[in-house]
């Protein structure tokens, strides 16, 4: 059993014991799912996005998750204010650049957040992270395009890690997590996860939950991504044949029943150093 797998299970135990408050500035399509995912894993969500209160909310939180899924100027300003406050207080910031590469507004917002806020973890799909790396991206809405699937995910992850001094998590058929030196590949998950809106956003919220109990953001990112993948596997085993609606709810059920033993038994993590 590798050390990273054991460290992931230790963090899950920490979340359930400490119940960290996780501040999510996310999108109106998935806000409820993100809140429920955070609750299910053992943390406590707060979904404040008004500029009049984000700095106060960040100040009492253990982590901040910024998600640009549904953008408007109101939330863009709030995200940057909250991110700066989190930096001031040394509170971890997770950034989910949903749809980066798809529109001028998303591209400019992504670049502005990365310019003004020190990000600790970037979690996205290969098209989104390819855009951040400076590659020509063919983002298909909020999904990875087939054109971008040929990109070198490990190389792109490491490039972004070094450019922004952060951890990068690229989710896909095989998930890639890197801190610029270590690289973990996670083979958990099920293809039905891509047929339910919000599973990527939920994954970022889970990563934020794990970041809320440690300064080891590499392990936290691996743990959050692995937990979501395992939940998808369990959900499909239980109700997959019933359709995506039942699968959606069963993912939350699986997260709520996640424990250190289950995580350790089902994790499919391969770690290397470059």
């Amino acid at each position: 059993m590798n050390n990273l797998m054991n460290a992931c299970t230790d963090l899950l135990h920490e979340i359930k014991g400490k119940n960290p408050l996780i501040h999510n500035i996310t999108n109106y399509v998935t806000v409820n799912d993100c809140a429920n995912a955070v609750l299910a894993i053992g943390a406590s969500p707060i979904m404040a996005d008004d500029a009049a209160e984000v700095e106060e909310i960040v100040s009492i939180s253990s982590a901040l998750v910024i998600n640009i899924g549904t953008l408007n100027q109101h939330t863009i300003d709030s995200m940057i204010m909250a991110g700066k406050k989190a930096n001031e207080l040394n509170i971890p910031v997770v950034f989910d650049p949903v749809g980066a590469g798809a529109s001028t507004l998303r591209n400019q917002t992504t670049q502005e957040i990365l310019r003004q806020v020190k990000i600790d973890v970037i979690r996205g799909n290969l098209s989104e992270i390819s855009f951040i790396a400076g590659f020509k991206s063919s983002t298909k809405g909020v999904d990875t395009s087939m054109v971008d699937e040929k990109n070198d995910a490990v190389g792109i992850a490491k490039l972004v890690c070094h450019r922004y001094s952060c951890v990068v998590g690229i989710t896909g058929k095989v998930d890639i997590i890197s801190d610029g030196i270590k690289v973990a590949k996670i083979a958990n998950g099920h293809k039905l996860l891509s047929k339910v809106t919000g599973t990527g956003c939920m994954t970022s919220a889970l990563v934020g939950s794990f970041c809320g109990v440690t300064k080891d953001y590499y392990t936290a990112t691996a743990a959050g991504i692995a937990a979501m993948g395992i939940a998808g596997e369990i959900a499909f085993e239980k109700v997959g044949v019933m359709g995506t609606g039942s699968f959606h709810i069963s993912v939350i059920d699986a997260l709520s029943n996640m424990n250190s033993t289950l995580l350790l038994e089902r994790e499919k993590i391969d770690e290397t150093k470059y």
Side-chain angles (χ1 to χ4, degrees):
M1 196 67 63
N2 68 44
N3 291 334
L4 179 57
M5 293 170 68
N6 284 311
C8 288
T9 61
D10 290 343
L11 290 186
L12 180 60
H13 181 74
E14 288 283 303
I15 289 176
K16 292 183 181 296
K18 294 181 177 178
N19 186 228
L21 181 65
I22 310 302
H23 183 187
N24 295 263
I25 303 178
T26 187
N27 66 81
Y28 56 70
V29 176
T30 65
V31 62
N32 186 63
D33 288 326
C34 291
N36 279 323
V38 170
L39 280 169
I41 206 67
S44 179
I46 187 163
M47 322 303 279
D49 67 1
D50 194 284
E53 68 169 348
V54 291
E55 291 183 321
E56 286 182 88
I57 298 300
V58 167
S59 299
I60 60 171
S61 300
S62 297
L64 169 67
V65 181
I66 294 172
N67 177 306
I68 66 168
T70 51
L71 278 178
N72 58 66
Q73 194 58 53
H74 165 85
T75 53
I76 293 170
D77 293 343
S78 295
M79 289 173 185
I80 292 172
M81 285 179 64
K84 288 181 174 180
K85 189 66 174 181
N87 289 168
E88 179 186 323
L89 298 174
N90 201 29
I91 292 166
V93 181
V94 177
F95 180 38
D96 187 337
V98 179
S103 75
T104 300
L105 178 62
R106 289 174 190 272
N107 298 350
Q108 290 176 343
T109 301
T110 296
Q111 292 165 342
E112 197 62 19
I113 289 172
L114 290 170
R115 186 180 72 82
Q116 295 201 50
V117 180
K118 171 64 179 73
I119 302 296
D120 296 289
V121 179
I122 303 175
R123 200 295 311 166
N125 64 38
L126 185 52
S127 288
E128 293 158 353
I129 305 302
S130 294
F131 169 78
I132 290 173
F135 288 76
K136 184 177 180 181
S137 175
S138 302
T139 301
K140 182 185 176 184
V142 298
D143 300 318
T144 301
S145 73
M146 292 182 66
V147 173
D148 291 333
E149 287 178 357
K150 71 180 187 305
N151 293 352
D152 175 13
V154 171
I156 285 171
K158 290 180 66 181
L159 190 158
V160 173
C161 287
H162 289 297
R163 181 173 296 171
Y164 294 104
S165 300
C166 67
V167 172
V168 170
I170 301 177
T171 47
K173 186 175 181 180
V174 175
D175 307 312
I176 303 296
I177 296 91
S178 181
D179 62 359
I181 300 172
K182 301 184 293 295
V183 175
K185 297 182 179 180
I186 301 178
N188 291 107
H190 191 276
K191 61 183 180 181
L192 209 58
L193 284 166
S194 66
K195 301 300 182 182
V196 174
T197 297
T199 52
C201 301
M202 291 161 66
T203 303
S204 295
L206 290 173
V207 169
S209 300
F210 281 93
C211 286
V213 295
T214 184
K215 294 298 181 184
D216 181 359
Y217 304 135
Y218 169 74
T219 299
T221 303
I225 291 174
M228 190 62 180
I230 292 168
E233 293 172 356
I234 294 170
F236 182 77
E237 290 165 8
K238 291 185 178 297
V239 301
V241 296
M242 296 174 66
T244 56
S246 298
F247 176 79
H248 180 190
I249 296 302
S250 191
V251 167
I252 299 294
D253 289 339
L255 288 171
S256 70
N257 289 315
M258 195 72 60
N259 57 51
S260 297
T261 300
L262 185 61
L263 190 63
L264 195 60
E265 287 175 349
R266 297 193 65 136
E267 285 174 309
K268 300 173 185 175
I269 300 178
D270 179 37
E271 185 182 36
T272 56
K273 291 185 179 180
Y274 286 81

